[in-house]
Amino acid sequence: MEITAEVHPVPIKQSLGQFPKTIGDYRLANTFQSSADVIEMLGVDDYLQYNYINPENDVINL
């Protein structure tokens, strides 16, 4: 097993704000925003926290 502590930034092609509000039968149910401390710790410029729900009330979180 190889373990690394290096982080390599991967540029995204567009803002995550453009992420779809529907995915198949799932629709965006709600969003969350992390605290400034969490954002700083993660070292991200753009992020999302979305919950989607389908007609059977199955939930996925991204």
Side-chain angles (χ1 to χ4, degrees):
M1 177 169 75
E2 184 177 330
I3 299 175
T4 181
E6 293 181 46
V7 175
H8 301 283
V10 176
I12 58 175
K13 296 182 182 198
Q14 61 184 358
S15 168
L16 293 176
Q18 302 300 314
F19 206 80
K21 305 300 186 244
T22 59
I23 301 174
D25 289 341
Y26 288 82
R27 64 175 170 74
L28 182 62
N30 53 40
T31 65
F32 298 91
Q33 187 153 7
S34 293
S35 69
D37 289 340
V38 170
I39 305 265
E40 182 179 346
M41 178 190 69
L42 293 173
V44 297
D45 295 327
D46 198 4
Y47 78 100
L48 61 80
Q49 290 180 305
Y50 284 179
N51 283 328
Y52 293 84
I53 192 166
N54 71 4
E56 291 79 34
N57 290 321
D58 298 318
V59 176
I60 56 174
N61 173 266
L62 300 174

